[in-house]
Amino acid sequence: MTSTLALIRDGRRTLRQGPDGLAHRQRERLTAMIDFARTHSPYYRELYRTLPERIEDPTLLPVTRKQDLMARFDDWVTDPEVTIDRVRAFVADPRRVGERFLGRYLVTTTSGTTGHRGVFLLDDHAAAVVRALSLRAAQRTLTPAVTARLLIRRMRSAHIVATGGHLAAYTVIVRSRAVGRLPARSSRVLSVHSPLPELVDQLNQCRPVFLAGYATVIALLAGEQLAGRLRIAPAAVSLLAEGVSDHDHRRIRSAFGAHLVDTYGCNESLALAYGCPAGWLHVHSDWLILEPVGPDLRPTPPGQESFTVLLTSLCRWAQPILRYDLGDSVVLRPDACPCGDLLPAIKVRGRAADLLSFPRLDGGTVHIVPMAFETLLESIPGIDLFQIVQTAPSCVRVRILSAVTADRERLWTAVRKEMVALLIAHGVGHVSVERAHEPPEQSAGGKYRVVIPWP
């Protein structure tokens, strides 16, 4: 297995060669991955049986989806000792979180919020690539001054994640602590499902210099910090997994005065991209390919929001991820990023699975992206967190966690007025906008989905 240090050096050499060198490295790895998948995965051998022998262009490959791959799990994986029954028996035991399945694979699961639960294997080579890319991201995003503060305070950290089961963030942390890459004495793992006052108390006690968690939860904690109930001074705050709105970015930075580290990842590729000072996410394109596409799976032009994005991982040998429908809507930057980073730049706009569909006045159907509701409600003062639940084709329920100082009746009046105006502007027919008395709810994975569509 190639060492993490060797992978870091390889990445530096590749980037020094410029865009042409980067594209060449990507093609090499794509060809090798396709050849390996055809040879060792019965699923891909069948799927690619009519394709040319050598493929350097990912657009020639058919699209794959989680539900299809999980249905053919035993044929999808490249190790015949791995079966879905054996993996399910392994993940059914929460005591085995962070252990290596069969002594050679780290297993993570998705929370299944989109209706399809996934099980993913990280082989040793893929794990080394993830570590190399994470170190690259840290080098690109942390300034010398921030790094010095982290080291002086002995990297005292707090990680707010979903702690039940084999979900990715928790599994990686447990494994890292077990092998000594994350010192147990100086790191705290807090459950994202803990009541907010409890999280505040725990953070006030451990006073982390490095704070990591889902963006929606960190945004809630920013409100507690601004209110004076949370009293910590982290040097860096890492926002995990989710796309971060400009509103949340400003709120978190204002509250903590810390260096913000944006990262973009998922079970299928734990290290997808990292943030830059210009507000974009730079894709690790020497080790993966992201293709923004429309509903017809044709390329989305740079600068426009995609319907979804197709992911090809160039390092996952045990479980090849090739032209995989990730479900995220992204925007690819059409020009060079002003930060000077060579790697492609994107912004994450939400999930295609979170599109809301309503009956039109003319009898058709209108689709509204989550970003439209986010932009609308973030402009109304007094909202700490919100969630829109479509309970029927013509009914939405709005859950609001309001600021302590907010007048709740006036706030709801403003929310309902703006929601109705937005629906009318999109040509939606009669839709009932209901006020929820319950607060926004977390998914099993600990995230707060902005929009929960009608099934």
Side-chain angles (χ1 to χ4, degrees), residues 13 20 134 137 148 159 224 230 239 243 250 295 310 354 383 437:
R13 284 194 300 270
D20 290 342
S134 298
H159 306 262
E224 295 297 294
L230 180 62
L239 308 176
R250 291 191 298 269
L310 306 179
D354 287 342
I383 299 177
H437 296 287

Side-chain angles (χ1 to χ4, degrees), residues 3-227:
S3 70
T4 301
L5 182 59
L7 291 168
I8 291 172
R9 289 171 176 165
D10 176 82
R12 289 173 178 167
R13 284 194 300 270
T14 299
L15 294 181
R16 281 198 296 267
Q17 293 169 6
D20 290 342
L22 186 61
H24 175 72
R25 201 77 172 97
Q26 191 183 78
R27 286 193 302 272
E28 279 186 335
R29 287 176 172 154
L30 175 63
T31 299
M33 180 59 70
I34 292 172
D35 288 346
F36 183 85
R38 275 177 150 167
T39 302
H40 298 281
S41 165
Y43 174 82
Y44 281 110
R45 187 158 55 246
E46 176 186 326
L47 190 65
Y48 295 168
R49 64 185 183 277
T50 62
L51 298 183
E53 183 176 345
R54 181 176 176 84
I55 297 175
E56 296 183 348
D57 180 1
T59 64
L60 297 176
L61 303 176
V63 172
T64 59
R65 294 178 173 83
K66 184 195 300 180
Q67 58 267 38
D68 299 326
L69 294 172
M70 286 302 301
R72 297 282 305 277
F73 186 91
D74 292 359
D75 291 332
W76 169 26
V77 295
T78 60
D79 183 344
E81 289 189 53
V82 176
T83 67
I84 189 60
D85 290 339
R86 296 182 74 177
V87 176
R88 282 175 175 161
F90 179 86
V91 299
D93 187 352
R95 295 171 299 179
R96 306 196 71 177
V97 171
E99 288 185 20
R100 301 211 310 168
F101 174 65
L102 299 180
R104 52 187 180 270
Y105 302 116
L106 192 66
V107 181
T108 66
T109 63
T110 62
S111 57
T113 54
T114 59
H116 302 283
R117 190 167 186 257
V119 180
F120 296 92
L121 308 174
L122 198 68
D123 56 81
D124 287 343
H125 178 71
V129 171
V130 169
R131 289 194 294 273
L133 297 184
S134 298
L135 288 170
R136 171 201 280 172
Q139 291 169 353
R140 296 291 182 91
T141 56
L142 294 178
T143 65
V146 171
T147 302
R149 283 187 64 192
L150 293 172
L151 294 175
I152 289 170
R153 293 171 61 183
R154 299 181 181 179
M155 281 298 294
R156 192 165 66 245
S157 62
H159 306 262
I160 305 171
V161 296
T163 54
H166 295 252
L167 296 169
Y170 183 52
T171 299
V172 170
I173 289 170
V174 172
R175 182 65 188 170
S176 297
R177 295 176 83 176
V179 300
R181 281 192 289 268
L182 182 65
R185 292 184 62 183
S186 60
S187 61
R188 291 284 301 274
V189 181
L190 309 180
S191 173
V192 73
H193 295 292
S194 299
L196 190 59
E198 187 176 315
L199 281 178
V200 169
D201 288 342
Q202 291 173 326
L203 289 169
N204 281 335
Q205 289 175 24
C206 69
R207 304 184 68 80
V209 66
F210 179 81
L211 175 64
Y214 300 130
T216 46
V217 177
I218 298 296
L220 280 177
L221 290 169
E224 295 297 294
Q225 180 90 352
L226 291 169

Side-chain angles (χ1 to χ4, degrees), residues 107-384:
V107 181
T108 66
T109 63
T110 62
S111 57
T113 54
T114 59
H116 302 283
R117 190 167 186 257
V119 180
F120 296 92
L121 308 174
L122 198 68
D123 56 81
D124 287 343
H125 178 71
V129 171
V130 169
R131 289 194 294 273
L133 297 184
S134 298
L135 288 170
R136 171 201 280 172
Q139 291 169 353
R140 296 291 182 91
T141 56
L142 294 178
T143 65
V146 171
T147 302
R149 283 187 64 192
L150 293 172
L151 294 175
I152 289 170
R153 293 171 61 183
R154 299 181 181 179
M155 281 298 294
R156 192 165 66 245
S157 62
H159 306 262
I160 305 171
V161 296
T163 54
H166 295 252
L167 296 169
Y170 183 52
T171 299
V172 170
I173 289 170
V174 172
R175 182 65 188 170
S176 297
R177 295 176 83 176
V179 300
R181 281 192 289 268
L182 182 65
R185 292 184 62 183
S186 60
S187 61
R188 291 284 301 274
V189 181
L190 309 180
S191 173
V192 73
H193 295 292
S194 299
L196 190 59
E198 187 176 315
L199 281 178
V200 169
D201 288 342
Q202 291 173 326
L203 289 169
N204 281 335
Q205 289 175 24
C206 69
R207 304 184 68 80
V209 66
F210 179 81
L211 175 64
Y214 300 130
T216 46
V217 177
I218 298 296
L220 280 177
L221 290 169
E224 295 297 294
Q225 180 90 352
L226 291 169
R229 290 181 288 274
L230 180 62
R231 298 175 297 278
I232 60 176
V237 175
S238 179
L239 308 176
L240 306 178
E242 304 167 287
V244 186
S245 71
D246 291 339
H247 174 271
D248 280 346
H249 230 285
R250 291 191 298 269
R251 181 182 178 83
I252 294 167
R253 183 178 286 111
S254 171
F256 296 112
H259 183 87
L260 294 193
V261 179
D262 292 341
T263 58
Y264 176 39
C266 58
N267 271 272
E268 296 86 345
S269 183
L270 295 177
L272 277 171
Y274 57 89
C276 77
W280 291 79
L281 292 162
H282 288 274
V283 178
H284 296 291
S285 61
D286 47 342
W287 281 107
L288 60 96
I289 301 169
L290 284 183
E291 300 173 65
V293 295
D296 57 1
L297 301 180
R298 293 184 178 181
T300 301
Q304 296 183 19
E305 290 186 14
S306 71
F307 175 75
T308 186
V309 64
L310 306 179
L311 165 67
T312 295
S313 171
L314 304 177
C315 68
R316 296 190 74 122
W317 301 97
Q319 200 177 32
I321 303 287
L322 299 167
R323 274 207 116 201
Y324 176 94
D325 187 347
L326 196 57
D328 289 344
S329 173
V330 305
V331 175
L332 176 65
R333 188 180 177 100
D335 54 0
C337 186
C339 79
D341 199 314
L342 173 69
L343 295 171
I346 63 169
K347 286 190 176 182
V348 183
R349 294 303 192 190
R351 295 191 59 85
D354 287 342
L355 280 172
L356 288 183
S357 301
F358 300 101
R360 290 183 61 91
L361 286 169
D362 60 12
T365 301
V366 60
H367 305 289
I368 304 179
V369 298
M371 186 61 65
F373 296 101
E374 287 188 64
T375 304
L376 174 74
L377 295 186
E378 285 176 353
S379 68
I380 301 175
I383 299 177
D384 277 352

